[in-house]
């Protein structure tokens, strides 16, 4: 299947493994997905500069195919990580949380393709005006940071596709090939899956985290931190405590303190699935098995073909 994104990035399938802090902060997941003809994306946000540099080397050693690197632009170490990514002449940048203007020109000068993550039509238009190559559009179902507006992928992707000329990568709520087909039908040029890739041996999170994703139902997630930059995570003791405090009318300071007392790292690395921030999307309710990432890409492509045939036969 050829789309504007497969052509632009030089990949075989319109399937991208979403950047996930810790889960995709390693070479194994990224190379497995890229070698299978999708595009793997390294979640560089939580990485130390030396680890990031070494990991880029490992990815290059593990695949000759295109791969992406995600750097949240508002992160404390963003500048240092951007410099390392620039020196390494990464093929694809997937930038989130912050404007692209300060960095775009130098990455463009070395041929890096710049995909920008947005969560509203307004930010999509701004990123387009700034000159990025493509947009990643995250809807409310997404794990991690969905749009504070809580507009769903179905509506947001369609709105953005109708408003911009740039190619769009749709993201949030997809765990199988039927979901990929649905978002391509909306006009997206590729689809990004995060939560589904947590349930792979290559994902760099604790086995208890993967098990929690497997066990979750479609109503197994909740939004924590409404009013600020909310996160979507699996319901657990931490989210229950936070929501109880909200209901009890806790002050912003109290809620902030509760929010900061828990972390994604605690869930991802220590396996504290009760009190850590167990980030995952609603699509966790569609995940049924742990599968090597390369095989998962193959399965997604086969399911996408099935979905297309089904539609054509109606
Ligand atoms: C555990 C987890 C960690 C994430 N970390 C990041 C991150 O570091 N940077 C980023 O831009 N997005 C991050 N995201 C969001 C994903 O890139 C993607 O938008 C989301 O997973 C898509 O929704 P889905 O999970 O329903 O597939 C994260 C998502 C999850 C589930």
């Amino acid at each position: 299947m050829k789309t504007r994104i497969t052509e632009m990035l030089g990949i075989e399938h319109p399937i991208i493994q979403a950047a996930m802090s810790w889960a995709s902060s390693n070479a194994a997941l990224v190379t497995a997905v890229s070698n299978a003809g999708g595009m793997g994306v390294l979640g560089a946000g939580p990485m130390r500069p030396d680890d990031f540099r070494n990991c880029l080397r490992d990815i290059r050693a593990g695949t000759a195919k295109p791969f992406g690197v995600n750097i949240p632009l508002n992160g404390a170490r963003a500048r240092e990580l951007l410099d390392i990514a620039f020196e390494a002449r990464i093929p694809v940048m997937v930038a989130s949380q912050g404007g692209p203007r300060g960095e775009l020109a130098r990455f463009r000068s070395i041929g890096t393709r710049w995909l920008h993550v947005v969560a509203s039509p307004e930010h999509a238009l701004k990123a387009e005006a700034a000159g990025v190559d493509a947009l990643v559009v995250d809807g409310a179902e997404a794990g991690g940071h969905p749009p504070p507006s809580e507009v769903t992928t179905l509506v947001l992707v369609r709105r953005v596709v109708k408003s911009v000329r740039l190619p769009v990568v749709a993201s949030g709520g997809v765990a199988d090939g039927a979901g990929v087909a649905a978002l391509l039908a909306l006009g997206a040029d590729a689809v990004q899956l995060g939560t589904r890739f947590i349930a792979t041996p290559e994902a760099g999170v604790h086995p208890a985290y993967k098990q929690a994703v497997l066990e979750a139902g479609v109503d197994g997630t909740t939004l924590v931190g409404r009013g600020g930059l909310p996160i979507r995570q699996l319901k657990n003791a931490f989210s229950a405590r936070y929501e109880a405090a909200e209901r009890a009318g806790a002050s912003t300071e109290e809620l902030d303190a509760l929010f900061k007392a828990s972390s994604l790292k605690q869930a991802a690395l220590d396996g504290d699935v009760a009190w850590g921030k167990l980030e995952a999307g609603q699509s966790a309710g569609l995940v049924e098995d742990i599968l090597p990432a390369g095989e998962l890409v193959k399965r997604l492509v086969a399911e996408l073909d099935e979905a297309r045939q089904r539609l054509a036969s109606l």
Side-chain angles (χ1 to χ4, degrees):
M1 189 186 263
K2 282 189 170 46
T3 71
R4 289 186 295 170
I5 288 285
T6 62
E7 299 283 278
M8 175 191 289
L9 303 182
I11 56 177
E12 211 177 319
H13 311 301
I15 292 171
I16 295 177
Q17 163 256 307
M20 291 180 288
S21 290
W22 305 114
S24 80
S25 303
N26 68 64
L29 181 56
V30 177
T31 52
V33 174
S34 287
N35 281 331
M39 188 176 78
V41 180
L42 181 67
M47 298 181 81
R48 282 194 294 260
D50 279 348
D51 294 338
F52 179 40
R53 217 176 263 116
N54 293 336
C55 193
L56 287 173
R57 245 176 250 141
D58 291 346
I59 292 173
R60 281 250 153 77
T63 185
K65 302 214 172 154
F67 65 91
V69 172
N70 166 250
I71 299 179
L73 298 177
N74 63 0
R77 282 194 294 251
R79 179 77 216 181
E80 207 173 344
L81 297 176
L82 285 160
D83 286 347
I84 294 168
F86 178 75
E87 278 162 32
R89 304 174 79 91
I90 58 160
V92 181
M93 169 68 76
V94 182
S96 55
Q97 294 176 26
R101 283 187 198 273
E103 290 292 333
L104 201 50
R106 69 165 171 159
F107 278 93
R108 273 295 187 62
S109 76
I110 56 167
T112 301
R113 294 296 191 173
W114 188 288
L115 274 53
H116 208 78
V117 180
V118 297
S120 72
E122 294 73 28
H123 286 155
L125 289 169
K126 264 194 185 170
E128 181 172 59
V132 304
D133 293 301
L135 301 171
V136 178
V137 179
D138 252 333
E141 299 92 323
H145 288 294
S149 66
E150 298 180 38
V151 178
T152 60
T153 304
L154 194 68
V155 173
L156 190 57
V157 167
R158 187 66 193 145
R159 180 66 266 161
V160 173
V161 162
K162 288 173 80 173
S163 302
V164 302
R165 287 183 307 277
L166 287 178
V168 164
V169 178
S171 169
V174 177
D176 59 22
V180 175
L183 296 190
L184 293 177
L186 290 185
D189 287 276
V191 177
Q192 168 177 280
L193 300 83
T195 299
R196 181 60 188 90
F197 280 98
I198 295 177
T200 60
E202 292 91 343
V205 298
H206 194 281
Y209 200 129
K210 298 181 189 185
Q211 191 57 32
V213 167
L214 279 181
E215 286 170 9
V218 289
D219 61 351
T221 70
T222 185
L223 272 188
V224 180
R226 282 192 173 92
L229 253 191
I231 56 150
R232 183 174 293 287
Q233 67 154 78
L234 298 182
K235 291 174 186 169
N236 65 359
F238 159 67
S239 69
R241 177 183 282 178
Y242 187 92
E243 284 166 357
E246 269 180 330
R247 280 195 301 276
S251 67
T252 311
E253 292 73 33
E254 285 166 331
L255 290 174
D256 259 9
L258 270 182
F259 193 83
K260 286 186 185 133
S262 168
S263 71
L264 172 60
K265 187 178 183 187
Q266 188 180 341
L269 299 194
D270 308 340
D272 184 357
V273 294
W275 292 102
K277 287 197 179 106
L278 201 53
E279 294 185 18
Q282 292 179 341
S283 61
L286 301 171
V287 178
E288 289 165 351
D289 54 6
I290 293 186
L291 199 68
E295 280 177 41
L296 175 55
V297 173
K298 275 192 211 144
R299 188 202 273 177
L300 290 168
V301 172
E303 290 170 343
L304 169 59
D305 284 345
E306 270 170 40
R308 293 168 75 194
Q309 279 164 26
R310 179 176 170 273
L311 289 177
S313 74
L314 294 178

